[in-house]
Amino acid sequence: MAWVIGVDVGGTFTDFYAFDDASGTVHLHKIPSTPANPADAVLDGISQLCRTKGIRAVDIARLSHGTTVGTNTLIQHRGGKVALVTTEGFRDLIEIGRQIRPRMFDFQADHPIPLVPRERRFEAGERMTADGKALRALDAAGVQGVVDRVAAAGADACAVCLIFAFLNPAHERLIAAALAKALPSLYISISSEVQPEFREYERLSTTVLNAYLQPVMARYLGDIEAGMRTLSPGAAIGINQSSGGLMSVERARRFPIRTALSGPAAGAVGAIHMARLSGIPDVISLDMGGTSADVALIRDYQAGTTFDRRIEGYPARLPSVDINAVGAGGGSIAWFDKDGLIKVGPMSAGAVPGPACYGKGGTSPTVTDANLVLGRLSPRGLLGGGMPMDEKASRAAIEPLAERLGFAVERTAHGIIGIVVANMVRAIRAVSVERGHDPRRFALLPFGGAGPLHATDVARSLGIPKMLVPLAPGILCAQGLIVSDLRESFVRTARTRLAESEAASIGTLVDDLRREAAIWFDAERIPPSERTARIVLDMRYVGQNFELAVPIEDAEALPDTESLKQRFFAEHERSYGFHNPEDPIEIINFRLIAFGRLPRPETRPEPASKRAAPKANHRRPVWFAADRPVETPVFERGRLEPGVALVGPAVIEQLDATTLLFPGDKLTVDPVRNLILEVTI
């Protein structure tokens, strides 16, 4: 037997999805997160899973892990003490940036404080030109001067970002080697390795972020490795990336910035997997957890990829799944703003102290408290009754808001739900309507512990008539880690005209990337039969400011220049509604994305059951609207077999989530046990 375990650390819960690739057995587990040290929940949860499910720890073959440590470090500003080495004259680039305001119409908004203060920024006497030649060579005295100043600064980590190093990294490598020799405990990030692309400010910012995270992530990954050596010495560990693929622990130590959005990316991968099983290619995923809601638009089983993101206000240039996040989760706190209106989020009660109903000291009214008051959540509590909740505490938390509004507690709770739903609707509109996509043509795929509980309200607000609720919605991010492959991206910036005369140069650049990928495949011991790759060319019209990513699925056969033009025209038409076949085109970045396929569970469809829908476990009053409750049957999700159909109202409960079926809505269970809901618009 060989077990593969996916672990996703959320703000409130840490989720586990265990799969035995010999028998196909699956086990789910969920425990409260430990914000002080997230590794504690990971290791404790694996131990509990082994103990309660009879798994031998020595049989664990792989641990796939999605982590929020990087993001939380940036939120809390608890990273390393970073020094920065730049080309002479570029010391203040980190503050100058693009000279644009963070929010166009907010004159009070400031840029985030630079992660490297000016006294820890040092200049190197060197200069590369735009063609990668050394206009001013870096001599030994200059290198030693940089090393001495970094040493005197007492930094934990050092970011090195020299101008045009993405074309010629020689000077960066000289400085890195000297720093490593003189200061062996110093963490070093050089831009030509972190993200070797043009656009100086974004490359600098990304390299600084990487250095800032290195000391924290190294400690965290060290805790995970040490714990797993004790539990299961033979288990391989894969860390999820923001792009949706796994990487080794060693690469995660070198490039921790790639993990900044790893949890939401795993959710998108899991959503694509479940959509494919149910045969629904176009979905909008809604991952609502304890602190936030993450949405992604998926077309033809593909989520978009973006390269420019801001993480806590800091620009980061790295490939990541195109996800829009909003502070709307089960722990989101309801509060009165200065204008006298109720707001919900982005502040969250998190795991500690948590919502008032958790009984851990929380007193603020949250979305979870509102759901409990409205009967949408079971009074038995979460985790199948393993985590009891106190309805009286929820009422006590909401009562001050109700008194100020002059409403009943239930009406106030319903208003809290309405506000958090509106926040999620805005997030979905940002990835659909505002980009020219009609959300009514997509199915809504809610997951996370709170997603299926609020999905119908979201769907109705957007006019979405169909929903797909996966088999284990609260564990889907962990499941997404199980079905993720190893992934690595290689990029080369080389401004090249898209013309027949440049065909040989284009082919040479792509061949260079293929050779880099082959070295990585060999280092990761990926068998040739499990290797795949995809080429992506960042292209634009000459004179344009930004590029469009044009994917080429078959990395072994690069199309001719005329075919590449037609692909660019189609992408430009899709993105902007027009294209000009006469204007010259150029390629800016050449990318190769390499995948190493890993074993994954195979879900076989089941025939429709001839049994009738099971009888409800019990009934309870549920407030679907603000005026009155409806006596509603409650079903156990595990008893709903393929082919079963229900008409709302109904509450479907399971270990990791609760699904709400509104009056008049229809539900059927498909052959892979996903729930298909037809929403009355």
Side-chain angles (χ1 to χ4, degrees):
M1 299 177 72
W3 288 89
V4 180
I5 299 179
V7 183
D8 176 63
V9 178
T12 305
F13 290 102
T14 296
D15 303 329
F16 301 82
Y17 187 100
F19 158 68
D20 172 27
D21 66 357
S23 66
T25 303
V26 170
H27 293 305
L28 310 179
H29 192 52
K30 197 177 186 82
I31 66 172
S33 295
T34 51
N37 184 1
D40 291 342
V42 173
L43 298 171
D44 290 347
I46 293 173
S47 298
Q48 292 179 25
L49 191 61
C50 292
R51 186 172 61 253
T52 59
K53 303 299 183 182
I55 299 173
R56 295 199 314 161
V58 294
D59 291 331
I60 299 174
R62 187 175 85 244
L63 175 70
S64 299
H65 180 29
T67 174
T68 56
V69 170
T71 305
N72 291 340
T73 298
L74 292 171
I75 291 172
Q76 299 165 6
H77 280 237
R78 293 183 178 177
K81 182 180 179 181
V82 181
L84 172 62
V85 179
T86 64
T87 298
E88 192 172 70
F90 288 80
R91 181 182 182 186
D92 296 318
L93 177 61
I94 192 173
E95 288 190 80
I96 295 171
R98 292 289 175 190
Q99 300 189 57
I100 55 176
R101 293 197 300 274
R103 291 190 291 274
M104 182 65 70
F105 301 106
D106 187 347
F107 294 100
Q108 312 304 319
D110 292 326
H111 287 281
I113 298 171
L115 296 176
V116 187
R118 200 168 195 271
E119 62 270 17
R120 292 205 301 270
R121 304 178 210 153
F122 310 112
E123 296 180 342
E126 67 85 43
R127 187 61 185 261
M128 290 287 179
T129 60
D131 58 1
K133 296 178 180 178
L135 180 66
R136 181 182 179 187
L138 183 63
D139 56 26
V143 172
Q144 188 59 47
V146 167
V147 171
D148 292 343
R149 282 175 283 172
V150 172
D156 302 321
C158 183
V160 182
C161 185
L162 307 179
I163 192 165
F164 293 119
F166 61 91
L167 294 175
N168 185 345
H171 289 173
E172 283 194 349
R173 291 173 179 171
L174 277 174
I175 292 172
L179 287 170
K181 182 177 180 180
L183 304 167
S185 63
L186 184 74
Y187 295 94
I188 302 168
S189 294
I190 64 174
S191 71
S192 52
E193 291 182 353
V194 174
Q195 197 63 25
E197 295 185 39
F198 87 130
R199 292 198 173 97
E200 206 67 26
Y201 171 54
E202 287 75 13
R203 181 163 58 93
L204 171 69
S205 177
T206 306
T207 307
V208 168
L209 288 171
N210 195 71
Y212 187 73
L213 295 177
Q214 277 182 305
V216 176
M217 284 297 292
R219 288 193 294 270
Y220 174 72
L221 293 172
D223 289 345
I224 295 290
E225 276 193 311
M228 287 304 295
R229 275 197 300 268
T230 302
L231 282 170
S232 181
I237 303 175
I239 307 299
N240 202 46
Q241 305 179 69
S242 303
S243 58
L246 299 173
M247 62 179 168
S248 66
V249 171
E250 183 53 39
R251 291 193 76 81
R253 280 198 183 94
R254 288 180 61 195
F255 306 117
I257 187 60
R258 296 187 185 179
T259 71
L261 301 167
S262 69
V269 173
I272 292 170
H273 177 66
M274 300 312 290
R276 191 182 298 276
L277 290 177
S278 290
I280 304 176
D282 300 325
V283 299
I284 296 173
S285 66
L286 170 62
D287 176 9
M288 185 180 182
T291 57
S292 65
D294 304 311
V295 301
L297 187 135
I298 296 165
R299 293 191 304 159
D300 196 23
Y301 306 120
Q302 294 284 333
T305 299
T306 183
F307 293 93
D308 293 298
R309 300 205 67 112
R310 284 188 174 266
I311 304 173
E312 289 306 302
Y314 299 101
R317 176 79 177 171
L318 72 161
S320 61
V321 178
D322 191 2
I323 292 171
N324 188 22
V326 63
S332 294
I333 296 171
W335 54 287
F336 280 100
D337 205 346
K338 293 178 181 179
D339 56 10
L341 299 176
I342 282 187
K343 305 290 169 60
V344 179
M347 298 174 294
S348 174
V352 179
C357 58
Y358 284 8
K360 295 183 178 180
T363 57
S364 300
T366 67
V367 172
T368 297
D369 293 308
N371 279 306
L372 185 60
V373 165
L374 294 174
R376 299 184 177 196
L377 282 175
S378 170
R380 294 188 306 123
L382 303 176
L383 307 183
M387 186 175 176
M389 294 193 295
D390 186 349
E391 185 179 351
K392 290 183 179 179
S394 293
R395 286 185 171 275
I398 295 174
E399 275 174 358
L401 277 68
E403 289 175 2
R404 182 168 174 178
L405 292 169
F407 291 163
V409 170
E410 290 82 5
R411 186 176 183 85
T412 304
H414 194 271
I416 291 171
I417 300 299
I419 294 169
V420 80
V421 165
N423 292 340
M424 290 186 284
V425 167
R426 282 197 295 272
I428 291 176
R429 288 180 63 87
V431 300
S432 58
V433 177
E434 294 177 16
R435 298 182 184 179
H437 304 292
D438 186 347
R440 295 171 296 183
R441 297 182 179 179
F442 292 75
L444 185 65
L445 197 158
F447 60 101
L453 198 58
H454 302 86
T456 299
D457 286 320
V458 172
R460 279 210 169 98
S461 297
L462 291 163
I464 297 175
K466 188 174 186 178
M467 296 198 308
L468 187 162
V469 181
L471 178 62
I475 314 286
L476 192 65
C477 286
Q479 185 177 1
L481 293 164
I482 293 293
V483 298
S484 293
D485 295 321
L486 289 172
R487 173 173 174 149
E488 186 61 39
S489 295
F490 304 90
V491 62
R492 187 75 55 85
T493 293
R495 190 173 177 180
T496 308
R497 282 292 183 99
L498 185 57
E500 186 60 35
S501 59
E502 297 292 335
S505 298
I506 293 171
T508 299
L509 286 163
V510 171
D511 287 341
D512 289 343
L513 293 176
R514 290 190 184 115
R515 280 190 287 272
E516 289 184 44
I519 294 170
W520 175 78
F521 280 131
D522 292 340
E524 296 291 340
R525 298 186 179 90
I526 300 169
S529 60
E530 305 301 329
R531 301 178 180 185
T532 58
R534 184 168 72 240
I535 297 291
V536 178
L537 302 179
D538 293 349
M539 303 166 67
R540 68 185 185 185
Y541 285 117
V542 175
Q544 276 188 313
N545 207 19
F546 297 99
E547 309 81 45
L548 289 173
V550 179
I552 299 165
E553 295 301 326
D554 185 1
E556 297 303 319
L558 189 68
D560 58 36
T561 54
E562 184 58 35
S563 297
L564 290 175
K565 283 184 181 180
Q566 295 305 318
R567 288 171 185 248
F568 173 73
F569 293 153
E571 189 64 29
H572 204 279
E573 186 77 32
R574 187 187 70 81
S575 299
Y576 300 117
F578 78 99
H579 73 279
N580 186 342
E582 305 301 325
D583 282 354
I585 303 164
E586 60 185 0
I587 304 171
I588 300 298
N589 294 315
F590 294 75
R591 302 180 191 276
L592 186 145
I593 306 169
F595 301 90
R597 185 176 174 84
L598 297 172
R600 62 180 64 188
E602 293 187 10
T603 304
R604 294 180 177 85
E606 301 177 39
S609 173
K610 296 181 180 179
R611 300 177 185 175
K615 291 184 178 180
N617 290 349
H618 58 274
R619 306 174 75 88
R620 68 170 182 256
V622 177
W623 296 72
F624 294 95
D627 53 352
R628 60 184 177 83
V630 177
E631 197 68 17
T632 303
V634 180
F635 296 90
E636 183 182 335
R637 174 75 183 263
R639 297 177 60 199
L640 299 182
E641 299 180 355
V644 164
L646 296 175
V647 177
V651 175
I652 296 95
E653 295 181 343
Q654 58 191 107
L655 170 75
D656 54 306
T658 298
T659 302
L660 209 58
L661 185 64
F662 275 58
D665 291 352
K666 298 178 181 179
L667 175 153
T668 56
V669 184
D670 76 2
V672 293
R673 292 183 177 265
N674 290 334
L675 304 183
I676 308 299
L677 276 64
E678 297 178 24
V679 180
T680 305
I681 304 300

